[in-house]
Amino acid sequence: AQTVTQSQPEMSVQEAETVTLSCTYDTSESDYYLFWYKQPPSRQMILVIRQEAYKQQNATENRFSVNFQKAAKSFSLKISDSQLGDAAMYFCAYRSRNTGTASKLTFGTGTRLQVTL
Amino acid sequence: ETGVTQTPRHLVMGMTNKKSLKCEQHLGHNAMYWYKQSAKKPLELMFVYNFKEQTENNSVPSRFSPECPNSSHLFLHLHTLQPEDSALYLCASSQARGVFTEAFFGQGTRLTVV
């Protein structure tokens, strides 16, 4: 079974600064997807970024980028130019590529990000 | 505006009550899911439906009973719950097959069992 670990329960960043959220995972599979989801106070989980394990290039989405280290099973999220609207819970998630069930996601426990002025 | 709508947003029920949670998606997806989110624990997958057929029951107690009458609607029927069942229940939908079949989530139902 796969596991996802987020070792930072809370992080804080000043507006306009950069912050990195950590995620490690454990799997015996070679082909899978990794995701970062954001859950603001509205409670809706929103996909921030995704990474395919077979791609060496790190995914980027505007101010959000990942550092994917497959050998180390590490998948960190970097938020640049942080904004007040980035304050939320961030969840790292894993999905096997070989499942017929699309979103059988395995989640970490989350990191609460605070953004200060 | 979310493509996945859950009602009610909040629910307080006694241990002897029967209630239902509703989820509706307007995204044309054919897979729907129930997740349970408890404080300081990872989200737990409860049930999966593909094309209206239940394909996974993740060892969920029988006091939780899902129903999927069509690809757009998903219910979670609740009866004789326990206080430890208090949590945020999230519904999600996705395409069942394909490369980028990421899940889209609703805003959840905050359930309190008293």
Side-chain angles (χ1 to χ4, degrees), chain A residues 33 35 37 39 42-45 47 50 52 54-55 91 95 97 100-105 107-109, chain B residues 2 9-10 33 35 37 42-43 45 48 50 56 88 94-96 99-103 105-108 110:
Chain A
Y33 297 104
F35 305 87
Y37 277 88
Q39 188 179 39
S42 67
R43 306 186 316 214
Q44 186 186 5
M45 299 278 279
L47 179 67
R50 60 174 170 246
E52 298 157 85
Y54 64 87
K55 287 188 176 179
F91 292 93
R95 174 170 78 81
R97 185 183 175 91
T101 306
S103 290
K104 189 178 176 180
L105 295 161
F107 286 88
T109 50
Chain B
T2 175
R9 293 291 306 276
H10 301 271
Y33 315 79
Y35 282 85
Q37 185 177 17
L43 272 77
L45 179 64
V48 181
N50 279 331
E56 184 142 350
L88 180 67
S94 76
Q95 292 296 346
V99 176
F100 285 125
T101 51
E102 64 262 28
F105 286 82
Q107 291 179 291
R110 172 74 64 191

Side-chain angles (χ1 to χ4, degrees), chain A residues 68-110:
Chain A
F68 173 49
Q69 302 289 328
K70 190 172 184 180
K73 295 180 183 175
S74 171
F75 182 61
S76 61
L77 174 70
K78 186 171 82 171
I79 306 174
S80 304
D81 186 25
S82 296
Q83 300 175 0
L84 294 176
D86 295 333
M89 282 289 288
Y90 286 82
F91 292 93
C92 180
Y94 172 103
R95 174 170 78 81
S96 172
R97 185 183 175 91
N98 297 320
T99 178
T101 306
S103 290
K104 189 178 176 180
L105 295 161
T106 301
F107 286 88
T109 50

